[in-house]
Amino acid sequence: VDMDVLEKELKTSFIDEGRQLLDAAEQCFLDLDAKRDDREVIENIFRLAHNLKGTSRAVGFGEVAEFTHQFENLLLKIKEKTLSVDDDMVDLLLACNDHCKTMIEGLSLDRDAKFDS
């Protein structure tokens, strides 16, 4: 098996999966905006970010993994109720999600793309 081909396949499938995860996450943030204390939504978002972090690291997209790790830490604070969900937090979460989308779209065009975090 040609490793380059395999790596390319993995990265391509990560990009598809990443898009789906981020679309799902965006919907969750909108749900969260409507219901601030919905534990299930928060758990869902945390799981999505965790998957994105793990998968991006596995395929070698270090910057995405690093950013989603920070994102996950933020979500953990919400989960543990160290931070509360207000308008600013929802805006921040959506902005983080958009940044992830931007990175994934960038990577879909150029597998070696770099980003300003």
Side-chain angles (χ1 to χ4, degrees), residues 67-101:
F67 184 77
T68 46
H69 181 67
Q70 302 299 328
F71 195 12
E72 191 183 36
N73 287 344
L74 179 65
L75 292 165
L76 189 61
K77 288 181 178 146
I78 293 171
K79 208 168 109 162
E80 293 169 343
K81 299 192 174 190
T82 314
L83 291 173
S84 58
V85 178
D86 56 15
D87 289 352
D88 289 343
M89 182 56 73
V90 172
D91 287 346
L92 178 62
L93 293 170
L94 285 167
C96 287
N97 208 55
D98 284 345
H99 185 64
C100 287
K101 277 188 168 173

Side-chain angles (χ1 to χ4, degrees), residues 5-76:
V5 172
L6 183 63
E7 188 184 358
K8 205 173 158 187
E9 286 288 308
L10 286 172
K11 288 186 170 178
T12 301
S13 74
F14 165 74
I15 286 165
D16 292 340
E17 186 189 339
R19 284 184 178 135
Q20 288 167 3
L21 288 173
L22 291 168
D23 285 345
E26 191 168 359
Q27 188 52 56
C28 287
F29 294 134
L30 298 173
D31 294 345
L32 191 63
D33 195 22
K35 292 163 70 180
R36 298 288 159 98
D37 272 339
D38 194 326
R39 305 309 297 165
E40 199 179 326
V41 174
I42 292 166
E43 288 289 341
N44 274 343
I45 296 168
F46 186 76
R47 201 164 36 247
L48 291 166
H50 186 74
N51 287 348
L52 196 61
K53 182 189 75 176
T55 319
S56 56
R57 183 169 290 151
V59 298
F61 285 143
E63 278 188 87
V64 178
E66 198 44 53
F67 184 77
T68 46
H69 181 67
Q70 302 299 328
F71 195 12
E72 191 183 36
N73 287 344
L74 179 65
L75 292 165
L76 189 61

